[in-house]
Amino acid sequence: MSPSADEMRSTIRRPEENAVMRWVLLTAPRWQVLLVTMFAVYAGLVALGFVNPLEMRDLLDETNAAKTLFSALLSGAILLVSVVVSINSVVLSQEMTDLEDQQTRIDASMDYHREIEEYIEAEITPARPADFLSAVLYALSTQMVRLTEIAADSPDEEFRADVEEFADSVAGEIADARTTLSEARMGSFRVLLAGLNYNYSGELHAARGLRHRYGDDLSEEAQDAIGELISTLKHIGTGREYFKSLYYKRELAYLSSRLLFVSLPVIVFTSYVILALDASLFPEIVIFGLSPLVLFVLLAYTIALAPYILLTVYVIRAATITIRTLAGGPFILQEGSEIESLEWDPDTPSREWELSERTERK
């Protein structure tokens, strides 16, 4: 069953994103998310302290609950550092390969660059990731312009309308990606974000649907243009997966080092808190309804959670990237894409379906 124009246009729509969630999950520096989360935790604990401040003061002063809690956090922080460092060591060990494996990886990277050079008609591709992605987007843009010019000379009005609609969507995606790349620093997350947000899967699916629908009626020049467009979109997907693997390695290295820098002061501070609670160093006064003991213990508890919050904010972004890039090629898993089948209709009667249903009844 041939796809309709509306079906092809539905493949290149993306779901709306909440700006706050996007900031928390993807674009914000992790240390900012760490500080915001710690402030939210402390504010929430202080708010709970105002509910019944006297009982909370007695709980911290007359029982060992706080000492037990901080002892558990101290042990957990030490264990967490050990586990993360061990994982990082395993990942680094995979990079210690022999010369043949390293040469194979470099050759594969060089072959990929040569293929891109053919599309952008350049002697050499840029070495910086942001410039490299810009070059690939330039190749995609020129190919889309060529397809639009070919379609403008076609007598098929529906084909011209579909190509024009497709070109508008591609132009919007390229503009968004270029804006992201223009703000990217060397090695920053925005380079990956540009490829992550580019809806190459939807465009690849739509381009294949375009070729499927008008395949027999297309001129050889139009078929070549669509074929080159599909090849470039495949290269965008390949580049995105490669940059994603580099990002994971870099983030794991950052997580390990920053977790060590955060955990050591936290371990020392938590040890001091346990000793301070044992020595009863806090005066018997009340500030805004809460005693210094309650305020200090709540602050200390928030600081003791810093290693776990740091691990959480890094893992959440890595998990978000993994979820958004689970599928490769024309597979689209994000909710809200509203994809329609472009190849066949499962409800179409056929002898194979009839035989299958007959076998199930038996």
Side-chain angles (χ1 to χ4, degrees):
M1 180 179 178
S2 297
S4 65
D6 291 338
E7 287 173 338
M8 282 189 295
R9 284 191 282 272
S10 71
T11 64
I12 49 182
R13 288 200 296 265
R14 292 186 301 178
E16 296 292 332
E17 288 186 311
N18 182 278
V20 176
M21 293 301 298
R22 177 184 172 86
W23 184 86
V24 172
L25 297 178
L26 290 173
T27 59
R30 297 297 89 184
W31 65 269
Q32 292 184 8
V33 182
L34 170 66
L35 294 179
V36 170
T37 304
M38 291 179 63
F39 177 79
V41 170
Y42 183 67
L45 292 174
V46 171
L48 291 176
F50 280 105
V51 175
N52 200 332
L54 294 178
E55 289 189 3
M56 178 174 287
R57 176 66 173 81
D58 294 338
L59 177 67
L60 297 177
D61 191 35
E62 299 177 4
T63 69
N64 292 323
K67 301 172 189 176
T68 304
L69 176 62
F70 281 104
S71 297
L73 290 174
L74 177 61
S75 302
I78 297 174
L79 179 61
L80 180 63
V81 172
S82 303
V83 171
V84 172
V85 172
S86 299
I87 294 175
N88 190 51
S89 300
V90 173
V91 175
L92 290 177
S93 65
Q94 297 177 356
E95 297 296 313
M96 301 176 185
T97 58
D98 54 30
L99 183 61
E100 183 179 358
D101 292 337
Q102 295 291 346
Q103 184 175 4
T104 301
R105 293 169 59 180
I106 294 176
D107 289 341
S109 178
M110 294 297 296
D111 292 340
Y112 179 72
H113 276 262
R114 294 190 189 98
E115 293 177 1
I116 297 299
E117 290 166 2
E118 296 178 2
Y119 288 108
I120 64 176
E121 299 179 355
E123 296 182 358
I124 188 171
T125 53
R128 295 178 181 271
D131 296 337
F132 178 82
L133 286 178
S134 296
V136 178
L137 293 176
Y138 171 78
L140 182 64
S141 178
T142 56
Q143 291 168 358
M144 196 69 245
V145 170
R146 180 190 172 204
L147 179 60
T148 304
E149 293 174 349
I150 294 173
D153 298 331
S154 174
D156 191 337
E157 295 183 2
E158 194 172 3
F159 175 66
R160 293 200 303 269
D162 286 345
V163 171
E164 190 67 29
E165 185 75 20
F166 186 31
D168 291 341
S169 174
V170 172
E173 293 279 352
I174 291 177
D176 293 340
R178 290 186 63 191
T179 300
T180 304
L181 289 173
S182 65
E183 302 172 354
R185 301 187 308 275
M186 180 64 180
S188 69
F189 173 74
R190 287 188 175 273
V191 177
L192 175 62
L193 187 63
L196 182 64
N197 286 337
Y198 194 88
N199 189 22
Y200 91 94
S201 295
E203 292 181 0
L204 181 59
H205 193 57
R208 294 177 66 242
L210 195 68
R211 183 172 61 181
H212 170 74
R213 186 182 187 197
Y214 301 101
D216 297 334
D217 300 328
L218 292 176
S219 64
E220 183 177 351
E221 188 179 14
Q223 291 180 358
D224 292 341
I226 296 177
E228 291 180 357
L229 193 67
I230 292 175
S231 297
T232 303
L233 289 170
K234 289 165 59 179
H235 282 89
I236 291 177
T238 303
R240 185 185 73 173
E241 294 303 312
Y242 176 67
F243 290 135
K244 184 176 70 171
S245 65
L246 295 180
Y247 164 78
Y248 283 147
K249 293 179 182 178
R250 191 196 69 170
E251 287 293 277
L252 183 59
Y254 278 161
L255 173 61
S256 300
S257 60
R258 291 171 181 174
L259 191 60
L260 289 174
F261 285 124
V262 170
S263 296
L264 180 59
V266 167
I267 290 173
V268 175
F269 178 73
T270 305
S271 302
Y272 166 77
V273 171
I274 296 175
L275 297 176
L277 290 174
D278 279 333
S280 301
L281 299 178
F282 303 96
E284 294 289 340
I285 59 176
V286 175
I287 302 176
F288 300 113
L290 291 178
S291 69
L293 174 62
V294 174
L295 293 174
F296 175 78
V297 170
L298 295 181
L299 177 62
Y301 177 74
T302 304
I303 295 176
L305 289 177
Y308 308 96
I309 298 176
L310 179 65
L311 177 63
T312 300
V313 297
Y314 270 92
V315 171
I316 284 178
R317 184 158 75 175
T320 302
I321 293 173
T322 301
I323 292 173
R324 293 188 176 209
T325 57
L326 280 176
F331 291 103
I332 303 173
L333 301 182
Q334 289 189 24
E335 183 180 356
S337 297
E338 303 174 4
I339 297 303
E340 299 287 345
S341 176
L342 298 183
E343 289 78 23
W344 67 297
D345 185 356
D347 296 327
T348 302
S350 65
R351 183 171 181 273
E352 287 75 12
W353 284 130
E354 294 174 358
L355 290 175
S356 176
E357 293 174 356
R358 193 179 307 165
T359 301
E360 291 179 358
R361 286 196 296 268
K362 290 181 180 180

